[in-house]
Amino acid sequence: VMKPECRFTRHSPACRPPNMPFVPVSKEALQETWRAMEDLKRFGVVKSIGVSDYNISHLEATLETAKEPIDLHQVEWNPKTHDEAMLDFCKKHGIQLQAWSPLGGAAGSVLSDPVVKGAAAAHGVSAAQAVLKWSIQRGVAVVVGTANAQHAKGDLDLFGFNLTDAEVSAISALGAPAQPIVV
């Protein structure tokens, strides 16, 4: 049972049985699923609803019939993989973009990159803190996890410094923008 303080997220608009390719779902299926999620919110089962790994056309299709806002959209977002058009779309529509793999995902970690290390050194923080701050300054919430207590403490200590515009731009330039999610 989900508690009212829980958030409910609809993941990628594709179905994938184990060891099988993705199968796209229809616009109608996206909208029907969103209506069911709105019902969960209306009944008080959840407080907020969101999606994960949608592309802009999926968001547009959902918004066409949505009565409740899309509160959150989780995507891979890090200096090597980030979709600027998605960020702009989410900001325009009041959707909080949230990063998974904020320190580097499939494209690899950025923590040893000289640009990141330089920005971190300039502020007396770790490379991880500089990268997380990059996301936050862009308006992107982050999801982090670690079993290391010191890393967890550092991950939360992001508000005593700000990256310069030049540092944000340099970190943003580390990777090619994310390819839009197509299903």
Side-chain angles (χ1 to χ4, degrees):
V1 175
M2 296 184 90
K3 297 179 181 174
E5 58 272 336
C6 293
R7 176 180 54 244
F8 187 71
T9 304
R10 169 39 163 118
H11 285 274
S12 180
C15 302
R16 189 177 72 81
N19 303 316
M20 298 294 291
F22 279 100
V23 178
V25 297
S26 67
K27 176 179 174 178
E28 292 76 21
L30 287 175
Q31 294 172 338
E32 182 180 327
T33 299
W34 189 255
R35 282 190 294 276
M37 292 171 59
E38 288 176 324
D39 286 343
L40 291 173
K41 187 173 180 181
R42 188 168 40 91
F43 297 144
V45 176
V46 296
K47 288 189 175 186
S48 63
I49 49 180
V51 297
S52 178
D53 297 323
Y54 273 33
N55 65 32
I56 290 174
S57 66
H58 297 138
L59 292 171
E60 289 171 332
T62 301
L63 289 170
E64 279 179 20
T65 60
K67 294 182 177 118
E68 291 286 337
I70 298 172
D71 295 315
L72 183 79
H73 183 205
Q74 293 178 335
V75 296
E76 181 177 3
W77 177 276
N78 57 64
K80 288 189 176 181
T81 308
H82 52 280
D83 183 344
E84 297 297 327
M86 180 63 72
L87 178 60
D88 292 342
F89 183 90
C90 287
K91 284 182 176 181
K92 178 180 175 187
H93 291 89
I95 301 168
Q96 176 62 61
L97 196 62
Q98 184 178 58
W100 55 262
S101 291
L103 301 177
S109 173
V110 297
L111 299 182
S112 62
D113 188 280
V115 171
V116 171
K117 289 172 95 174
H123 299 282
V125 298
S126 71
Q129 288 171 304
V131 171
L132 295 173
K133 187 64 171 192
W134 168 81
S135 290
I136 290 170
Q137 280 187 225
R138 307 282 323 277
V140 178
V142 295
V143 174
V144 294
T146 180
N148 182 309
Q150 285 303 104
H151 288 174
K153 184 178 185 297
D155 290 348
L156 296 173
D157 190 17
L158 302 174
F159 301 100
F161 71 100
N162 282 309
L163 300 172
T164 66
D165 290 344
E167 290 166 333
V168 170
S169 294
I171 293 171
S172 295
L174 289 179
Q179 296 300 312
I181 299 164
V182 178
V183 289

